[in-house]
Amino acid sequence: MSTTATTDFVAAQKVNRRNTLVLLVVLTGVAALTGYMIGWALETEATDSVPLLSAAGVVIALVMTAASVVWSLVSLAVGDRLVLRMAEAKPITKADAPQLYNVVEEISIAAGQPMPKVMVLETDALNAFATGNRVGNGTIAVTRGLLDTLNRDELQGVVAHEMAHLANLDTRYMVVVGVTVGLIALVCDMLLRTMAWGGSGRSSSNKKGSGGGGLVIFLLLIVAVLAPLAAKAVQMAVSRQREYLADATSVQFTRNPNGLISALGTLADKAAPFPGVSRATQHLFIVNPVQTFTKKSSALMATHPDTADRIARLRNLGG
């Protein structure tokens, strides 16, 4: 989507949902192809022939899909509680932070979403995140530094962004994507270790056969190395699209992009790591607390879009 042409938040949401769907299809394809190639290679070695259609490949592709679904369900059941525990988020009452509660309540009404739990991370760093595996079970957590620094309009923009993640079910998206990527990496790592351990025996047996065995090993090596990289790149692309989508959806809730624009500028300057945050949870936050990404950075593995680009898109939405 062009960042120079003025657009509206509904169009921006449609574009980013479409982009996310395409990326999920690509990721599913990578997982299925990885499983199929492993099954095809095993069948090729077992039968000493090269089948055009591998039954073993189809079976392993289906097994990987089923494992991804089961693993995703388990992660969805416990993931949000684990994230909140890792981040050391503490529940607060309305009396503790009345302005924050009022903002969350009004954005909740504007979004047509149930009131989420509200938590605070006791750190001077400026950041926020949302988690929740189903409608009505969401949590919005903000840092003490953010509460002490932002004005009400900026706080409203941040809360609307996090409410958008809940409304768009981004936790579900990212759990499923993360599990699939993890499964691909695990299977490929096991494949590489198996190839290393069995290399000597395989090489001696291949001396008696044709060059087909060497081709199979070469193809497996390519799959084992490239599949996890491709899957991780897709995961990061999905994460960036969900950030753009949350920005656009926040404007739908507030009808005012200026608060989030101002907040992003402040957060980009003052984002910093803090206890409880890690590379495993960095994608959840409104700005990455571990790494800073700009247009000069390698965009392929970035969890978040360039903040300047996000601000430019928000200004177009308000144009």
Side-chain angles (χ1 to χ4, degrees):
M1 187 179 78
S2 170
T3 58
T4 57
T6 299
T7 185
D8 62 274
F9 56 79
V10 175
Q13 289 172 39
K14 288 180 179 178
V15 168
N16 285 285
R17 287 194 177 102
R18 183 192 65 204
N19 290 345
T20 300
L21 179 60
V22 170
L23 290 167
L24 290 175
V25 170
V26 170
L27 182 61
T28 303
V30 171
L33 179 61
T34 301
Y36 182 83
M37 286 298 297
I38 292 172
W40 173 85
L42 293 174
E43 185 174 337
T44 298
E45 287 205 341
T47 61
D48 220 9
S49 62
V50 183
L52 291 177
L53 178 63
S54 169
V58 172
V59 170
I60 294 182
L62 291 175
V63 168
M64 284 192 66
T65 302
S68 179
V69 170
V70 173
W71 198 350
S72 295
L73 291 175
V74 173
S75 298
L76 285 170
V78 301
D80 56 339
R81 295 193 297 273
L82 182 61
V83 167
L84 290 169
R85 193 175 298 119
M86 288 174 60
E88 302 179 8
K90 308 296 183 185
I92 60 171
T93 65
K94 190 170 186 176
D96 296 324
Q99 178 172 263
L100 173 61
Y101 253 86
N102 288 338
V103 168
V104 174
E105 285 173 343
E106 68 184 38
I107 296 299
S108 176
I109 293 171
Q113 294 290 308
M115 176 71 180
K117 302 183 192 73
V118 181
M119 294 191 175
V120 167
L121 284 62
E122 295 296 345
T123 173
D124 292 334
L126 272 62
N127 228 311
F129 74 94
T131 185
N133 55 16
R134 63 183 183 273
V135 176
N137 190 39
T139 300
I140 291 178
V142 303
T143 64
R144 181 65 63 184
L146 184 142
L147 283 179
D148 293 342
T149 303
L150 300 189
N151 61 39
R152 195 181 194 284
D153 284 348
E154 293 168 334
L155 181 62
Q156 185 185 63
V158 170
V159 169
H161 174 97
E162 299 307 332
M163 188 72 73
H165 280 307
L166 297 178
N168 293 328
L169 299 177
D170 285 334
T171 297
R172 290 187 187 180
Y173 271 103
M174 295 313 297
V175 163
V176 172
V177 169
V179 163
T180 305
V181 171
L183 182 61
I184 292 171
L186 177 63
V187 169
C188 289
D189 183 62
M190 291 172 60
L191 177 60
L192 286 172
R193 292 175 184 273
T194 301
M195 292 172 68
W197 289 339
S200 58
R202 188 181 296 111
S203 61
S204 62
S205 64
N206 283 342
K207 289 178 182 178
K208 299 181 289 185
S210 65
L215 176 61
V216 169
I217 294 172
F218 176 74
L219 290 175
L220 278 179
L221 184 62
I222 293 296
V223 169
V225 172
L226 294 184
L229 293 176
K232 189 67 176 178
V234 172
Q235 180 188 22
M236 295 299 97
V238 171
S239 178
R240 292 192 298 273
Q241 289 299 323
R242 303 315 287 182
E243 290 301 318
Y244 282 134
L245 176 58
D247 287 346
T249 306
S250 72
V251 179
Q252 178 184 1
F253 297 159
T254 64
R255 305 289 169 159
N256 174 27
N258 294 324
L260 183 55
I261 288 171
S262 179
L264 284 175
T266 301
L267 267 62
D269 291 336
K270 298 183 179 180
F274 54 89
V277 70
S278 69
R279 292 185 181 275
T281 58
Q282 61 182 338
H283 64 281
L284 295 173
F285 291 85
I286 187 169
V287 293
N288 192 307
V290 178
Q291 303 177 75
T292 300
F293 301 107
T294 66
K295 288 184 177 180
K296 294 182 180 179
S297 305
S298 175
L300 195 61
M301 294 298 178
T303 59
H304 291 62
D306 172 30
T307 302
D309 186 46
R310 293 173 67 181
I311 289 173
R313 293 188 183 215
L314 284 166
R315 284 181 175 144
N316 289 334
L317 294 178

Short mmCIF file of all heavy atoms in Angstrom, two decimals, residues 63-127:
data_model
loop_
_atom_site.label_atom_id
_atom_site.label_comp_id
_atom_site.label_asym_id
_atom_site.label_seq_id
_atom_site.Cartn_x
_atom_site.Cartn_y
_atom_site.Cartn_z
N VAL A 63 0.80 -34.64 8.97
CA VAL A 63 1.19 -34.75 10.38
C VAL A 63 1.70 -33.41 10.90
O VAL A 63 1.36 -33.00 12.02
CB VAL A 63 2.28 -35.83 10.54
CG1 VAL A 63 2.90 -35.77 11.94
CG2 VAL A 63 1.69 -37.22 10.31
N MET A 64 2.49 -32.70 10.11
CA MET A 64 2.98 -31.39 10.53
C MET A 64 1.84 -30.41 10.72
O MET A 64 1.82 -29.61 11.66
CB MET A 64 3.98 -30.84 9.52
CG MET A 64 5.35 -31.49 9.60
SD MET A 64 6.62 -30.62 8.63
CE MET A 64 6.75 -29.06 9.51
N THR A 65 0.85 -30.46 9.83
CA THR A 65 -0.32 -29.58 9.96
C THR A 65 -1.09 -29.89 11.23
O THR A 65 -1.47 -28.98 11.99
CB THR A 65 -1.24 -29.75 8.74
OG1 THR A 65 -0.50 -29.44 7.55
CG2 THR A 65 -2.44 -28.82 8.84
N ALA A 66 -1.31 -31.19 11.51
CA ALA A 66 -2.04 -31.59 12.71
C ALA A 66 -1.28 -31.20 13.98
O ALA A 66 -1.86 -30.70 14.95
CB ALA A 66 -2.29 -33.10 12.69
N ALA A 67 0.04 -31.39 13.96
CA ALA A 67 0.86 -31.02 15.13
C ALA A 67 0.80 -29.52 15.37
O ALA A 67 0.74 -29.07 16.52
CB ALA A 67 2.30 -31.47 14.90
N SER A 68 0.80 -28.74 14.30
CA SER A 68 0.72 -27.29 14.43
C SER A 68 -0.60 -26.87 15.07
O SER A 68 -0.63 -25.99 15.94
CB SER A 68 0.87 -26.64 13.05
OG SER A 68 0.76 -25.24 13.15
N VAL A 69 -1.69 -27.53 14.67
CA VAL A 69 -3.01 -27.20 15.23
C VAL A 69 -3.05 -27.51 16.72
O VAL A 69 -3.49 -26.70 17.54
CB VAL A 69 -4.12 -27.97 14.48
CG1 VAL A 69 -5.45 -27.83 15.20
CG2 VAL A 69 -4.23 -27.47 13.05
N VAL A 70 -2.58 -28.73 17.09
CA VAL A 70 -2.61 -29.13 18.51
C VAL A 70 -1.74 -28.22 19.35
O VAL A 70 -2.14 -27.75 20.42
CB VAL A 70 -2.17 -30.60 18.65
CG1 VAL A 70 -2.02 -30.97 20.13
CG2 VAL A 70 -3.16 -31.53 17.96
N TRP A 71 -0.54 -27.96 18.86
CA TRP A 71 0.41 -27.10 19.58
C TRP A 71 -0.15 -25.69 19.73
O TRP A 71 0.00 -25.03 20.77
CB TRP A 71 1.73 -27.08 18.82
CG TRP A 71 2.91 -26.61 19.60
CD1 TRP A 71 2.93 -26.02 20.83
CD2 TRP A 71 4.28 -26.66 19.18
NE1 TRP A 71 4.21 -25.71 21.19
CE2 TRP A 71 5.06 -26.09 20.21
CE3 TRP A 71 4.93 -27.13 18.03
CZ2 TRP A 71 6.44 -25.97 20.13
CZ3 TRP A 71 6.30 -27.01 17.95
CH2 TRP A 71 7.04 -26.44 18.99
N SER A 72 -0.83 -25.21 18.70
CA SER A 72 -1.44 -23.88 18.76
C SER A 72 -2.53 -23.81 19.81
O SER A 72 -2.63 -22.83 20.57
CB SER A 72 -2.02 -23.51 17.38
OG SER A 72 -1.01 -23.38 16.42
N LEU A 73 -3.36 -24.85 19.89
CA LEU A 73 -4.44 -24.88 20.88
C LEU A 73 -3.89 -24.85 22.30
O LEU A 73 -4.40 -24.14 23.17
CB LEU A 73 -5.31 -26.12 20.67
CG LEU A 73 -6.17 -26.14 19.40
CD1 LEU A 73 -6.87 -27.48 19.24
CD2 LEU A 73 -7.18 -25.00 19.41
N VAL A 74 -2.82 -25.61 22.54
CA VAL A 74 -2.19 -25.61 23.86
C VAL A 74 -1.62 -24.23 24.17
O VAL A 74 -1.79 -23.69 25.28
CB VAL A 74 -1.09 -26.68 23.93
CG1 VAL A 74 -0.31 -26.57 25.25
CG2 VAL A 74 -1.68 -28.08 23.79
N SER A 75 -0.95 -23.62 23.20
CA SER A 75 -0.36 -22.30 23.40
C SER A 75 -1.42 -21.25 23.67
O SER A 75 -1.25 -20.36 24.51
CB SER A 75 0.47 -21.91 22.17
OG SER A 75 1.54 -22.80 21.98
N LEU A 76 -2.55 -21.34 22.96
CA LEU A 76 -3.64 -20.38 23.16
C LEU A 76 -4.24 -20.53 24.56
O LEU A 76 -4.70 -19.55 25.14
CB LEU A 76 -4.72 -20.58 22.10
CG LEU A 76 -4.39 -20.06 20.70
CD1 LEU A 76 -5.44 -20.54 19.70
CD2 LEU A 76 -4.30 -18.55 20.68
N ALA A 77 -4.21 -21.74 25.09
CA ALA A 77 -4.82 -21.99 26.40
C ALA A 77 -4.01 -21.37 27.53
O ALA A 77 -4.57 -20.93 28.54
CB ALA A 77 -4.98 -23.49 26.62
N VAL A 78 -2.69 -21.32 27.40
CA VAL A 78 -1.85 -20.87 28.51
C VAL A 78 -0.96 -19.69 28.16
O VAL A 78 -0.32 -19.11 29.05
CB VAL A 78 -0.95 -22.04 29.01
CG1 VAL A 78 -1.79 -23.21 29.47
CG2 VAL A 78 0.02 -22.49 27.91
N GLY A 79 -0.91 -19.30 26.88
CA GLY A 79 0.06 -18.32 26.43
C GLY A 79 -0.09 -16.96 27.08
O GLY A 79 0.91 -16.33 27.46
N ASP A 80 -1.33 -16.45 27.21
CA ASP A 80 -1.50 -15.09 27.74
C ASP A 80 -1.05 -15.00 29.19
O ASP A 80 -0.39 -14.03 29.59
CB ASP A 80 -2.95 -14.63 27.57
CG ASP A 80 -3.95 -15.57 28.22
OD1 ASP A 80 -3.60 -16.75 28.44
OD2 ASP A 80 -5.09 -15.13 28.51
N ARG A 81 -1.38 -16.00 29.99
CA ARG A 81 -0.95 -15.98 31.40
C ARG A 81 0.57 -16.04 31.51
O ARG A 81 1.17 -15.37 32.36
CB ARG A 81 -1.58 -17.16 32.15
CG ARG A 81 -3.09 -17.08 32.24
CD ARG A 81 -3.65 -18.07 33.25
NE ARG A 81 -3.37 -19.46 32.89
CZ ARG A 81 -4.14 -20.20 32.10
NH1 ARG A 81 -5.23 -19.66 31.56
NH2 ARG A 81 -3.84 -21.46 31.85
N LEU A 82 1.19 -16.83 30.64
CA LEU A 82 2.64 -16.94 30.65
C LEU A 82 3.31 -15.62 30.29
O LEU A 82 4.28 -15.20 30.94
CB LEU A 82 3.08 -18.04 29.68
CG LEU A 82 4.59 -18.33 29.60
CD1 LEU A 82 5.11 -18.79 30.96
CD2 LEU A 82 4.86 -19.38 28.54
N VAL A 83 2.77 -14.94 29.26
CA VAL A 83 3.34 -13.66 28.83
C VAL A 83 3.24 -12.62 29.95
O VAL A 83 4.20 -11.89 30.23
CB VAL A 83 2.63 -13.16 27.56
CG1 VAL A 83 2.97 -11.70 27.28
CG2 VAL A 83 3.03 -14.02 26.36
N LEU A 84 2.09 -12.53 30.60
CA LEU A 84 1.90 -11.56 31.67
C LEU A 84 2.83 -11.85 32.84
O LEU A 84 3.36 -10.92 33.47
CB LEU A 84 0.44 -11.58 32.13
CG LEU A 84 -0.58 -11.01 31.13
CD1 LEU A 84 -1.99 -11.33 31.58
CD2 LEU A 84 -0.39 -9.52 30.95
N ARG A 85 3.05 -13.13 33.12
CA ARG A 85 3.96 -13.50 34.20
C ARG A 85 5.40 -13.13 33.84
O ARG A 85 6.15 -12.61 34.67
CB ARG A 85 3.84 -14.99 34.49
CG ARG A 85 4.50 -15.42 35.79
CD ARG A 85 4.24 -16.89 36.10
NE ARG A 85 2.82 -17.16 36.27
CZ ARG A 85 2.12 -18.00 35.50
NH1 ARG A 85 2.72 -18.64 34.51
NH2 ARG A 85 0.85 -18.20 35.72
N MET A 86 5.78 -13.40 32.59
CA MET A 86 7.13 -13.07 32.15
C MET A 86 7.38 -11.57 32.20
O MET A 86 8.47 -11.11 32.57
CB MET A 86 7.36 -13.58 30.72
CG MET A 86 7.48 -15.08 30.60
SD MET A 86 7.57 -15.60 28.86
CE MET A 86 9.05 -14.75 28.33
N ALA A 87 6.37 -10.78 31.83
CA ALA A 87 6.51 -9.33 31.81
C ALA A 87 6.38 -8.70 33.19
O ALA A 87 6.57 -7.49 33.34
CB ALA A 87 5.48 -8.72 30.87
N GLU A 88 6.03 -9.52 34.20
CA GLU A 88 5.86 -9.04 35.57
C GLU A 88 4.77 -7.96 35.65
O GLU A 88 4.91 -6.96 36.36
CB GLU A 88 7.19 -8.53 36.14
CG GLU A 88 8.29 -9.57 36.15
CD GLU A 88 9.61 -9.05 36.68
OE1 GLU A 88 9.63 -7.90 37.19
OE2 GLU A 88 10.61 -9.77 36.60
N ALA A 89 3.69 -8.18 34.90
CA ALA A 89 2.57 -7.24 34.90
C ALA A 89 1.75 -7.39 36.17
O ALA A 89 1.46 -8.52 36.60
CB ALA A 89 1.69 -7.48 33.67
N LYS A 90 1.37 -6.26 36.77
CA LYS A 90 0.62 -6.28 38.03
C LYS A 90 -0.78 -5.69 37.81
O LYS A 90 -0.93 -4.61 37.22
CB LYS A 90 1.34 -5.44 39.09
CG LYS A 90 2.81 -5.81 39.29
CD LYS A 90 2.99 -7.22 39.81
CE LYS A 90 4.46 -7.53 40.06
NZ LYS A 90 4.66 -8.94 40.46
N PRO A 91 -1.83 -6.38 38.27
CA PRO A 91 -3.18 -5.82 38.14
C PRO A 91 -3.35 -4.59 39.01
O PRO A 91 -2.75 -4.48 40.09
CB PRO A 91 -4.08 -6.98 38.62
CG PRO A 91 -3.20 -7.83 39.47
CD PRO A 91 -1.81 -7.70 38.93
N ILE A 92 -4.13 -3.65 38.52
CA ILE A 92 -4.39 -2.43 39.29
C ILE A 92 -5.89 -2.19 39.33
O ILE A 92 -6.66 -2.76 38.54
CB ILE A 92 -3.68 -1.21 38.68
CG1 ILE A 92 -4.15 -0.96 37.25
CG2 ILE A 92 -2.17 -1.37 38.75
CD1 ILE A 92 -3.67 0.35 36.67
N THR A 93 -6.31 -1.32 40.24
CA THR A 93 -7.71 -0.96 40.35
C THR A 93 -7.92 0.43 39.74
O THR A 93 -6.97 1.14 39.42
CB THR A 93 -8.15 -0.93 41.82
OG1 THR A 93 -7.43 0.12 42.50
CG2 THR A 93 -7.85 -2.26 42.51
N LYS A 94 -9.18 0.80 39.60
CA LYS A 94 -9.50 2.11 39.04
C LYS A 94 -8.96 3.23 39.92
O LYS A 94 -8.54 4.29 39.42
CB LYS A 94 -11.01 2.26 38.88
CG LYS A 94 -11.43 3.48 38.09
CD LYS A 94 -12.90 3.43 37.76
CE LYS A 94 -13.29 4.58 36.84
NZ LYS A 94 -14.72 4.50 36.42
N ALA A 95 -8.92 3.00 41.23
CA ALA A 95 -8.41 4.02 42.15
C ALA A 95 -6.91 4.23 41.96
O ALA A 95 -6.39 5.32 42.22
CB ALA A 95 -8.70 3.61 43.59
N ASP A 96 -6.20 3.20 41.50
CA ASP A 96 -4.76 3.32 41.30
C ASP A 96 -4.41 4.21 40.11
O ASP A 96 -3.40 4.92 40.14
CB ASP A 96 -4.14 1.93 41.09
CG ASP A 96 -4.28 1.03 42.30
OD1 ASP A 96 -4.19 1.55 43.42
OD2 ASP A 96 -4.47 -0.20 42.13
N ALA A 97 -5.21 4.11 39.04
CA ALA A 97 -4.91 4.89 37.82
C ALA A 97 -6.23 5.26 37.16
O ALA A 97 -6.62 4.67 36.15
CB ALA A 97 -4.03 4.09 36.88
N PRO A 98 -6.96 6.25 37.72
CA PRO A 98 -8.30 6.58 37.21
C PRO A 98 -8.31 7.02 35.76
O PRO A 98 -9.22 6.66 35.01
CB PRO A 98 -8.77 7.71 38.15
CG PRO A 98 -7.53 8.22 38.82
CD PRO A 98 -6.59 7.07 38.88
N GLN A 99 -7.31 7.81 35.33
CA GLN A 99 -7.30 8.27 33.94
C GLN A 99 -7.12 7.09 32.98
O GLN A 99 -7.82 7.00 31.96
CB GLN A 99 -6.19 9.30 33.71
CG GLN A 99 -6.11 9.77 32.26
CD GLN A 99 -5.14 10.92 32.06
OE1 GLN A 99 -5.53 12.09 32.04
NE2 GLN A 99 -3.87 10.58 31.92
N LEU A 100 -6.22 6.19 33.31
CA LEU A 100 -6.01 5.01 32.47
C LEU A 100 -7.29 4.20 32.37
O LEU A 100 -7.69 3.78 31.27
CB LEU A 100 -4.87 4.16 33.04
CG LEU A 100 -4.63 2.81 32.34
CD1 LEU A 100 -4.26 3.00 30.87
CD2 LEU A 100 -3.56 2.01 33.08
N TYR A 101 -7.95 3.97 33.51
CA TYR A 101 -9.18 3.19 33.50
C TYR A 101 -10.26 3.88 32.67
O TYR A 101 -10.99 3.23 31.91
CB TYR A 101 -9.67 2.97 34.94
CG TYR A 101 -9.47 1.55 35.42
CD1 TYR A 101 -8.25 1.17 35.97
CD2 TYR A 101 -10.47 0.59 35.29
CE1 TYR A 101 -8.04 -0.13 36.40
CE2 TYR A 101 -10.28 -0.70 35.72
CZ TYR A 101 -9.06 -1.06 36.28
OH TYR A 101 -8.87 -2.34 36.70
N ASN A 102 -10.38 5.19 32.82
CA ASN A 102 -11.39 5.92 32.05
C ASN A 102 -11.14 5.80 30.55
O ASN A 102 -12.07 5.62 29.76
CB ASN A 102 -11.41 7.40 32.46
CG ASN A 102 -12.01 7.61 33.83
OD1 ASN A 102 -12.75 6.77 34.31
ND2 ASN A 102 -11.67 8.72 34.47
N VAL A 103 -9.86 5.92 30.15
CA VAL A 103 -9.52 5.80 28.74
C VAL A 103 -9.82 4.41 28.22
O VAL A 103 -10.39 4.24 27.13
CB VAL A 103 -8.03 6.16 28.52
CG1 VAL A 103 -7.58 5.78 27.11
CG2 VAL A 103 -7.80 7.65 28.75
N VAL A 104 -9.44 3.38 28.98
CA VAL A 104 -9.72 2.00 28.55
C VAL A 104 -11.21 1.77 28.43
O VAL A 104 -11.69 1.14 27.47
CB VAL A 104 -9.08 0.99 29.53
CG1 VAL A 104 -9.50 -0.44 29.16
CG2 VAL A 104 -7.56 1.10 29.52
N GLU A 105 -11.98 2.30 29.37
CA GLU A 105 -13.44 2.13 29.34
C GLU A 105 -14.04 2.78 28.10
O GLU A 105 -14.88 2.19 27.41
CB GLU A 105 -14.06 2.71 30.61
CG GLU A 105 -13.86 1.85 31.85
CD GLU A 105 -14.34 2.54 33.12
OE1 GLU A 105 -14.53 3.78 33.12
OE2 GLU A 105 -14.52 1.83 34.13
N GLU A 106 -13.61 4.00 27.79
CA GLU A 106 -14.21 4.70 26.65
C GLU A 106 -13.79 4.06 25.32
O GLU A 106 -14.61 3.96 24.39
CB GLU A 106 -13.86 6.19 26.68
CG GLU A 106 -12.41 6.54 26.44
CD GLU A 106 -12.13 8.03 26.59
OE1 GLU A 106 -12.71 8.68 27.49
OE2 GLU A 106 -11.32 8.56 25.80
N ILE A 107 -12.55 3.59 25.23
CA ILE A 107 -12.12 2.92 24.00
C ILE A 107 -12.81 1.56 23.87
O ILE A 107 -13.16 1.14 22.76
CB ILE A 107 -10.59 2.75 23.97
CG1 ILE A 107 -9.91 4.12 23.95
CG2 ILE A 107 -10.15 1.93 22.77
CD1 ILE A 107 -10.25 4.97 22.74
N SER A 108 -13.03 0.90 24.99
CA SER A 108 -13.75 -0.37 24.97
C SER A 108 -15.16 -0.19 24.42
O SER A 108 -15.64 -0.98 23.61
CB SER A 108 -13.81 -0.95 26.39
OG SER A 108 -14.57 -2.13 26.42
N ILE A 109 -15.81 0.89 24.83
CA ILE A 109 -17.17 1.19 24.33
C ILE A 109 -17.11 1.53 22.85
O ILE A 109 -17.92 1.03 22.05
CB ILE A 109 -17.79 2.36 25.14
CG1 ILE A 109 -18.04 1.92 26.59
CG2 ILE A 109 -19.07 2.83 24.48
CD1 ILE A 109 -18.43 3.06 27.51
N ALA A 110 -16.15 2.36 22.46
CA ALA A 110 -16.02 2.75 21.05
C ALA A 110 -15.73 1.54 20.16
O ALA A 110 -16.20 1.47 19.02
CB ALA A 110 -14.91 3.78 20.89
N ALA A 111 -14.97 0.59 20.69
CA ALA A 111 -14.60 -0.60 19.90
C ALA A 111 -15.66 -1.68 19.94
O ALA A 111 -15.59 -2.64 19.16
CB ALA A 111 -13.28 -1.16 20.43
N GLY A 112 -16.63 -1.55 20.84
CA GLY A 112 -17.64 -2.60 20.99
C GLY A 112 -17.06 -3.87 21.57
O GLY A 112 -17.51 -4.98 21.28
N GLN A 113 -16.03 -3.70 22.42
CA GLN A 113 -15.35 -4.84 23.02
C GLN A 113 -15.60 -4.88 24.52
O GLN A 113 -15.79 -3.84 25.16
CB GLN A 113 -13.83 -4.73 22.79
CG GLN A 113 -13.41 -4.83 21.33
CD GLN A 113 -13.60 -6.24 20.79
OE1 GLN A 113 -13.14 -7.21 21.37
NE2 GLN A 113 -14.28 -6.35 19.66
N PRO A 114 -15.61 -6.08 25.12
CA PRO A 114 -15.71 -6.16 26.58
C PRO A 114 -14.53 -5.45 27.24
O PRO A 114 -13.45 -5.39 26.68
CB PRO A 114 -15.66 -7.67 26.86
CG PRO A 114 -16.02 -8.33 25.57
CD PRO A 114 -15.54 -7.41 24.48
N MET A 115 -14.78 -4.91 28.42
CA MET A 115 -13.72 -4.23 29.16
C MET A 115 -12.60 -5.22 29.48
O MET A 115 -12.82 -6.23 30.14
CB MET A 115 -14.29 -3.65 30.45
CG MET A 115 -13.26 -2.99 31.35
SD MET A 115 -12.65 -1.42 30.67
CE MET A 115 -11.49 -0.94 31.96
N PRO A 116 -11.38 -4.96 29.00
CA PRO A 116 -10.27 -5.87 29.32
C PRO A 116 -9.74 -5.63 30.72
O PRO A 116 -10.04 -4.61 31.34
CB PRO A 116 -9.22 -5.51 28.27
CG PRO A 116 -9.46 -4.06 27.99
CD PRO A 116 -10.96 -3.86 28.13
N LYS A 117 -8.95 -6.57 31.22
CA LYS A 117 -8.22 -6.33 32.46
C LYS A 117 -7.17 -5.25 32.19
O LYS A 117 -6.67 -5.13 31.07
CB LYS A 117 -7.52 -7.61 32.94
CG LYS A 117 -8.45 -8.78 33.17
CD LYS A 117 -7.65 -9.97 33.71
CE LYS A 117 -8.45 -11.25 33.68
NZ LYS A 117 -8.62 -11.78 32.31
N VAL A 118 -6.83 -4.50 33.21
CA VAL A 118 -5.83 -3.43 33.09
C VAL A 118 -4.68 -3.74 34.04
O VAL A 118 -4.90 -4.00 35.23
CB VAL A 118 -6.43 -2.05 33.40
CG1 VAL A 118 -5.39 -0.96 33.23
CG2 VAL A 118 -7.64 -1.78 32.51
N MET A 119 -3.47 -3.72 33.51
CA MET A 119 -2.29 -4.01 34.32
C MET A 119 -1.20 -2.98 34.05
O MET A 119 -1.22 -2.30 33.03
CB MET A 119 -1.76 -5.42 34.02
CG MET A 119 -2.70 -6.54 34.44
SD MET A 119 -1.89 -8.17 34.35
CE MET A 119 -3.19 -9.21 35.04
N VAL A 120 -0.27 -2.91 34.99
CA VAL A 120 0.85 -1.97 34.88
C VAL A 120 2.16 -2.73 35.06
O VAL A 120 2.25 -3.63 35.89
CB VAL A 120 0.74 -0.84 35.92
CG1 VAL A 120 2.04 -0.06 36.04
CG2 VAL A 120 -0.40 0.10 35.55
N LEU A 121 3.15 -2.34 34.26
CA LEU A 121 4.51 -2.86 34.41
C LEU A 121 5.33 -1.79 35.12
O LEU A 121 5.44 -0.66 34.62
CB LEU A 121 5.13 -3.17 33.04
CG LEU A 121 4.69 -4.43 32.30
CD1 LEU A 121 3.21 -4.41 31.96
CD2 LEU A 121 5.49 -4.60 31.01
N GLU A 122 5.85 -2.11 36.28
CA GLU A 122 6.55 -1.11 37.09
C GLU A 122 7.97 -0.89 36.56
O GLU A 122 8.97 -1.40 37.09
CB GLU A 122 6.57 -1.55 38.55
CG GLU A 122 5.20 -1.60 39.21
CD GLU A 122 4.53 -0.24 39.31
OE1 GLU A 122 5.23 0.78 39.12
OE2 GLU A 122 3.32 -0.19 39.58
N THR A 123 8.05 -0.11 35.50
CA THR A 123 9.33 0.27 34.92
C THR A 123 9.21 1.67 34.34
O THR A 123 8.12 2.11 33.96
CB THR A 123 9.75 -0.71 33.80
OG1 THR A 123 10.91 -0.23 33.13
CG2 THR A 123 8.63 -0.88 32.78
N ASP A 124 10.34 2.38 34.30
CA ASP A 124 10.34 3.74 33.75
C ASP A 124 10.32 3.75 32.22
O ASP A 124 10.11 4.80 31.62
CB ASP A 124 11.57 4.50 34.24
CG ASP A 124 11.51 4.79 35.74
OD1 ASP A 124 10.39 4.87 36.28
OD2 ASP A 124 12.59 4.92 36.37
N ALA A 125 10.55 2.60 31.59
CA ALA A 125 10.51 2.52 30.13
C ALA A 125 9.10 2.83 29.64
O ALA A 125 8.12 2.63 30.36
CB ALA A 125 10.94 1.13 29.67
N LEU A 126 9.01 3.33 28.41
CA LEU A 126 7.71 3.68 27.82
C LEU A 126 7.30 2.58 26.83
O LEU A 126 7.94 2.40 25.80
CB LEU A 126 7.79 5.02 27.08
CG LEU A 126 7.54 6.29 27.91
CD1 LEU A 126 8.58 6.43 29.01
CD2 LEU A 126 7.55 7.52 27.02
N ASN A 127 6.21 1.87 27.17
CA ASN A 127 5.74 0.83 26.27
C ASN A 127 4.38 0.32 26.74
O ASN A 127 3.90 0.69 27.81
CB ASN A 127 6.73 -0.33 26.18
CG ASN A 127 7.00 -0.72 24.73
OD1 ASN A 127 6.07 -0.90 23.95
ND2 ASN A 127 8.28 -0.84 24.37
#
